[in-house]
Amino acid sequence: MPGYDYSLAGAYAITICVKDRECALGSIRDHRFIGNDLARIVNACWIDLPAHYDGIALDAFVIMPNHVHGIVLIDDARQLS
């Protein structure tokens, strides 16, 4: 959002897309997501984020075939630097 100070504490919804929106993280079969090895790596990295950044907590997270959505809670943005 133009002009917004993203250094403020709060809840941030993020979306990360795979390059060229390639379905590199898995596929949909019978209306269900089937993740592959890369999706498992993405999941492990997500879970590990608080070990690398003080002052954050994780909320909802979902992996899709070509992107991921997550919510990061920043308790004290001054600790992130």
Side-chain angles (χ1 to χ4, degrees):
M1 210 163 64
Y4 185 78
D5 182 359
Y6 286 97
S7 70
L8 297 173
Y12 292 88
I14 61 166
T15 298
I16 302 171
C17 297
V18 173
K19 184 178 184 236
D20 298 325
R21 299 206 183 240
E22 179 184 343
C23 291
L25 303 174
S27 60
I28 302 292
R29 290 191 200 124
D30 297 323
H31 306 287
R32 298 186 72 181
F33 173 68
I34 308 298
N36 59 22
D37 289 340
L38 188 53
R40 286 184 275 285
I41 292 169
V42 168
N43 188 69
C45 289
W46 174 262
I47 291 168
D48 200 39
L49 282 172
H52 298 277
Y53 300 98
D54 294 329
I56 71 165
L58 304 176
D59 202 338
F61 177 71
V62 64
I63 301 174
M64 304 298 285
N66 63 0
H67 65 283
V68 297
H69 296 286
I71 299 175
V72 177
L73 306 170
I74 299 176
D75 296 327
D76 186 350
R78 292 171 288 161
Q79 295 178 12
L80 295 177
S81 54

